[in-house]
Amino acid sequence: MAGSGTFAEIIDGDVFKYYAQGHWNKSSSGKFVPIINPTTRKTHFKVQACTQKEVNRVMESAKTAQKSWAKTPLWKRAELLHKAAAILKEHKAPIAECLVKEIAKPAKDAVTEVIRSGDLVSYCAEEGVRILGEGKFLVSDSFPGNERTKYCLTSKIPLGVVLAIPPFNYPVNLAVSKIAPALIAGNSIVLKPPTQGAVAALHMVHCFHLAGFPEGLISCVTGKGSEIGDFLTMHPGVNCISFTGGDTGIAISKKAGMVPLQMELGGKDACIVLEDADLDLAAANIVKGGFSYSGQRCTAVKVALVMESVANTLVKKINDKIAKLTVGPPEIDSDVTPVVTESSANFIEGLVMDAKEKGATFCQEYVREGNLIWPLLLDNVRPDMRIAWEEPFGPVLPVIRINSVEEGIHHCNASNFGLQGCVFTRDINKAMLISDAMETGTVQINSAPARGPDHFPFQGLKDSGIGSQGIANSINMMTKVKTTIINLPAPSYTMG
Ligand code: NAP
């Protein structure tokens, strides 16, 4: 059970504590934030509503702890990360249970998220040892007028305090994808978990605590983003922000000071299907890509752009697969589970009703019970409908019929987003040309968009993000280059 056994010390009564200065603490606010179970729509957990004073203290200890952590040998940092990864995987069951109750993640996927997170931490430790164990040596005589009298040594040094803010849909995996690179690179970390997902994140943080990281190096403050978010992101003690989420990230980018930003934001991933595509493969990927975790994935297929000549056949194949999806609670591993909040369900419904008014073809009846929305394919969607452009983050997928590849690329590139896209065709030359033309961070050929494996570069263009992640890129992003230049005497002098 969440908060029991190994995790007993992270809870006080029925409110989970926050983590600072190497201890589990109660907030002096005396207030808590309720976490609503998306399935029952009742309060399931409570977390502390941390105060600004507590944030200030966390920033101070993060700064102090970072100074000595930066001097800790790389192998020792890696050793602790490997230990944390093992503890995390050992305790996958209680952490996965939190994911089921807080964010209605299907039980099997919840366990996968925790295991994947442990693997990510271990890989990061390995990769960090190699990346940070290397520097560069430059000589000075490449430019006219220069002799070989200067030697430049470069190395990578930590940024300082990294603020990590992950979203609700992968509260463990998208937290460790920030924590592990930050720590291996010699930074300290302040984590602000999403409200829905906070308890899973607190359990994950306890695994790092048990691994024995120094006091103050890792902190986790809880509270509503709308209440403590600005205070955290504009805090002078923060030296880097790694954020994953929606439009909030655009606002943070405008408010943050002169600190490096890693922004992983929303997407409207398009799937272009050409006439020569393997339609069974395309249908399988569109259903998996569009409806896994009820479409609440940044890389979900969010619009299918299908050549008119194959659209009827493809839509039928998609509908046949949708009919086989199970709909229900996450505990029994239903394919489609309740979306995270009531306001999220209302937003999705708004997009569906707009499409209805404007004449989209409903391939299934629209059914909703509480936060649970049955999977829905909307055919004949046109560009004047909101769902053609907006991210539903729910189990609703629009199909736009196109008459040329150019029309598909045009729709994809007219979006404000540019996360991923995919193309289904048997012609590799066409696929490569389309990949080149699509303004997205990644294009998948003959597969649905996806984030992993976690060491692949992953990035969004336009409103989908700033910077690139993936393990190596995140480690590099959380460092800066330091150079030391050795100036030798002039050659004539040395040659005597
Ligand atoms: P969100 O509403 O933007 O929230 C993300 C995080 O920001 C949460 O921890 C939230 O805390 C916090 N937050 C809210 N207001 C804040 C503020 N003023 N200052 C600082 N932090 C604040 O996003 P979400 O609904 O959790 O996640 C869904 C979105 O994430 C989708 O758009 C999806 O595409 C995107 N996403 C992108 C990627 C990627 O890699 N590109 C991956 C996954 C998800 P509270 O929960 O307490 O409000």
Side-chain angles (χ1 to χ4, degrees):
M1 247 179 67
S4 62
T6 311
F7 298 97
E9 67 177 291
I10 77 172
I11 193 164
D12 178 64
D14 63 347
V15 187
F16 282 88
K17 299 182 196 167
Y18 75 100
Y19 185 66
Q21 291 91 37
H23 306 284
W24 290 96
N25 305 281
K26 273 171 37 177
S27 170
S28 60
S29 72
K31 293 189 190 143
F32 65 85
V33 180
I35 293 169
I36 314 292
N37 181 326
T39 312
T40 62
R41 293 190 290 153
K42 295 204 166 76
T43 298
H44 198 96
F45 294 128
K46 294 171 187 166
V47 293
Q48 309 285 331
C50 291
T51 64
Q52 296 188 348
K53 215 165 147 193
E54 282 153 357
V55 169
N56 283 338
R57 221 172 307 131
V58 155
M59 291 297 174
E60 255 329 292
S61 48
K63 189 176 171 182
T64 309
Q66 191 270 329
K67 299 272 181 241
S68 44
W69 181 243
K71 297 193 182 93
T72 304
L74 254 178
W75 65 263
K76 184 83 192 156
R77 294 184 217 162
E79 192 177 78
L80 284 171
L81 283 169
H82 281 303
K83 206 167 159 195
I87 298 171
L88 191 61
K89 288 209 251 185
E90 189 188 327
H91 295 290
K92 57 184 181 296
I95 302 176
E97 185 201 308
C98 298
L99 294 171
V100 169
K101 302 298 181 197
E102 288 184 284
I103 59 165
K105 183 159 281 194
K108 219 191 291 159
D109 296 349
V111 173
T112 306
E113 176 170 347
V114 183
I115 295 171
R116 173 184 175 186
S117 300
D119 292 343
L120 191 159
V121 174
S122 291
Y123 192 103
C124 203
E126 298 284 327
E127 193 76 343
V129 167
R130 318 257 173 276
I131 292 176
L132 301 160
E134 267 186 8
K136 258 188 181 176
F137 170 67
L138 288 87
V139 290
S140 56
D141 55 353
S142 301
F143 278 80
N146 282 278
E147 302 292 332
R148 190 172 290 216
T149 52
K150 291 172 186 285
Y151 293 140
C152 177
L153 304 171
T154 77
S155 60
K156 292 193 171 109
I157 59 167
L159 297 174
V161 178
V162 174
L163 173 64
I165 306 183
F168 82 84
N169 61 345
Y170 290 89
V172 175
N173 184 262
L174 290 176
V176 300
S177 73
K178 303 171 189 317
I179 295 171
L183 292 179
I184 193 70
N187 300 289
S188 59
I189 192 101
V190 176
L191 172 69
K192 200 312 265 176
T195 296
Q196 299 291 139
V199 175
L202 291 169
H203 281 68
M204 174 272 294
V205 167
H206 193 53
C207 297
F208 281 77
H209 168 77
L210 295 174
F213 283 90
E215 274 185 31
L217 189 70
I218 301 169
S219 316
C220 182
V221 289
T222 49
K224 277 208 165 300
S226 51
E227 284 161 22
I228 54 165
D230 283 356
F231 190 72
L232 279 162
T233 53
M234 296 197 282
H235 200 285
V238 169
N239 304 113
C240 168
I241 302 175
S242 178
F243 175 92
T244 309
D247 288 352
T248 323
I250 297 176
I252 291 173
S253 307
K254 290 178 182 152
K255 286 185 257 183
M258 254 187 51
V259 296
L261 300 177
Q262 187 178 46
M263 290 282 157
E264 307 163 358
L265 310 184
K268 184 71 183 170
D269 292 7
C271 173
I272 301 181
V273 184
L274 304 191
E275 294 103 331
D276 68 344
D278 175 338
L279 296 183
D280 288 312
L281 181 72
N285 274 277
I286 288 170
V287 172
K288 187 163 181 277
F291 298 100
S292 297
Y293 188 35
S294 310
Q296 297 173 112
R297 294 164 51 247
C298 57
T299 54
V301 171
K302 294 192 184 119
V303 58
L305 302 163
V306 185
M307 288 297 279
E308 180 66 61
S309 56
V310 292
N312 285 344
T313 314
L314 182 68
V315 164
K316 180 171 179 330
K317 285 178 189 290
I318 295 173
N319 282 330
D320 289 347
K321 289 188 185 302
I322 288 178
K324 294 194 183 117
L325 294 176
T326 55
V327 181
E331 286 83 357
I332 56 165
D333 261 332
S334 308
D335 296 316
V336 174
T337 55
V339 296
V340 69
T341 56
E342 192 172 344
S343 65
S344 190
N346 293 342
F347 175 76
I348 297 162
E349 185 163 299
L351 294 180
V352 170
M353 291 309 142
D354 174 77
K356 187 175 185 180
E357 273 163 34
K358 293 174 181 159
T361 306
F362 279 52
C363 298
Q364 294 79 20
E365 194 190 341
Y366 172 66
V367 184
R368 172 181 170 186
E369 270 174 27
N371 293 359
L372 187 59
I373 294 176
W374 268 248
L376 176 62
L377 190 73
L378 296 172
D379 195 2
N380 297 303
V381 164
R382 290 190 322 264
D384 63 329
M385 300 175 190
R386 285 175 54 204
I387 197 146
W389 306 104
E390 295 181 39
E391 185 185 33
F393 233 58
V396 177
L397 179 63
V399 174
I400 298 181
R401 294 173 176 235
I402 53 172
N403 290 300
S404 67
V405 173
E406 289 70 25
E407 201 183 325
I409 292 170
H410 176 78
H411 185 91
C412 168
N413 292 352
S415 169
N416 288 340
F417 293 119
L419 191 58
Q420 288 209 359
C422 64
V423 54
F424 284 85
T425 172
R426 288 188 168 94
D427 184 335
I428 187 65
N429 295 332
K430 267 193 196 161
M432 292 305 292
L433 290 170
I434 291 169
S435 169
D436 198 37
M438 284 171 85
E439 292 169 3
T440 59
T442 303
V443 174
Q444 303 261 355
I445 297 171
N446 291 329
S447 186
R451 192 187 167 86
D454 289 317
H455 67 309
F456 280 14
F458 180 72
Q459 55 280 314
L461 308 184
K462 301 191 271 187
D463 285 354
S464 289
I466 300 176
S468 176
Q469 41 146 347
I471 289 170
N473 285 348
S474 291
I475 293 171
N476 282 320
M477 185 269 162
M478 291 178 186
T479 62
K480 53 191 162 192
V481 173
K482 169 81 188 260
T483 61
T484 301
I485 299 169
I486 302 166
N487 288 278
L488 302 177
S492 55
Y493 171 82
T494 49
M495 300 304 282

